[in-house]
Amino acid sequence: MPVDGASPVLLDGDTWQACFRDFKRSAFRLEVHQTYTMPAEAETVRDFLAGAEKPGDFNASWHRTVSDNAAAGRTMARAKIVRRPLTPYSRYLFEWCVPGNVAAGEDYRIVDVTDRPNPGLPDQDFWMFDETTVVHLNYRPDGTQIARELIQNPDMDKYLAWRDLALESAVPFSVYRT
């Protein structure tokens, strides 16, 4: 939400892509939703749910982004809150998306809150870049993204605490899968 009536700063297109090219040290994402309804993924989610084989070049551009950042010594980490039974979208994510992200160099972790309360994490998806910049990912209840909003003057202590709590409460994806 904008402060003092200021217009929100929304990120899209190359401005949004630049966040993943231009960060210097670290990028962290907290994922809180169980379903995301992204138009760019609609066909592949449909294919996954229909039992199709994953295409060989699936998610290749994201994997290049992750591996290029890893090769440059920049870390990319993510913590996803899940509840069992997994939603069809989470099953798609865990079968088709996350293994390639991890292989490319992303530190992907799972916070399973099925049998325990949420450890105090927010209900807001966000990316944090270099521990200085926060972008909220805003969604409708059905998981459709509404906007990516650059947070002006974020309370970094709060976001850093959420990141640390998420990572402490999580297990690596490879451990969760076993």
Side-chain angles (χ1 to χ4, degrees):
M1 199 50 96
V3 178
D4 299 328
S7 296
V9 176
L10 303 180
L11 303 179
D12 210 355
D14 191 59
T15 305
W16 173 237
Q17 294 306 313
C19 291
F20 297 96
R21 286 191 311 267
D22 297 345
F23 73 92
K24 304 295 183 224
R25 294 175 311 283
S26 65
F28 169 80
R29 172 150 182 207
L30 179 66
E31 290 184 352
V32 303
H33 295 280
Q34 303 306 294
T35 298
Y36 295 94
T37 308
M38 305 298 288
E41 293 179 331
E43 186 178 338
T44 57
V45 171
R46 234 184 350 267
D47 290 348
F48 167 78
L49 294 174
E53 264 190 54
K54 179 171 69 170
D57 63 347
F58 180 76
N59 227 1
S61 71
W62 178 252
H63 297 157
R64 270 191 307 281
T65 297
V66 172
S67 62
D68 288 351
N69 280 313
R74 296 184 294 264
T75 62
M76 296 184 75
R78 201 182 301 228
K80 175 158 181 57
I81 296 174
V82 299
R83 290 172 197 83
R84 286 176 273 117
L86 296 177
T87 62
Y89 182 86
S90 288
R91 289 192 343 264
Y92 157 77
L93 193 67
F94 289 0
E95 293 295 321
W96 278 27
C97 301
V98 178
N101 294 3
V102 170
E106 186 174 356
D107 178 8
Y108 200 105
R109 300 181 189 205
I110 305 299
V111 180
D112 191 326
V113 296
T114 303
D115 298 322
R116 64 179 172 147
N118 180 321
L121 296 169
D123 290 332
Q124 175 67 56
D125 277 58
F126 66 86
W127 275 101
M128 178 172 50
F129 300 95
D130 293 329
E131 301 181 348
T132 60
T133 303
V134 175
V135 178
H136 280 187
L137 306 173
N138 300 321
Y139 295 91
R140 292 188 184 106
D142 72 352
T144 302
Q145 192 172 79
I146 300 167
R148 292 176 291 264
E149 180 182 352
L150 179 66
I151 301 305
Q152 302 294 316
N153 305 310
D155 177 350
M156 289 312 301
D157 289 338
K158 177 173 69 174
Y159 287 95
L160 292 166
W162 283 335
R163 179 206 56 198
D164 294 348
L165 179 60
L167 295 175
E168 290 167 10
S169 303
V171 297
F173 178 72
S174 60
V175 171
Y176 185 78
R177 291 287 306 272
T178 57

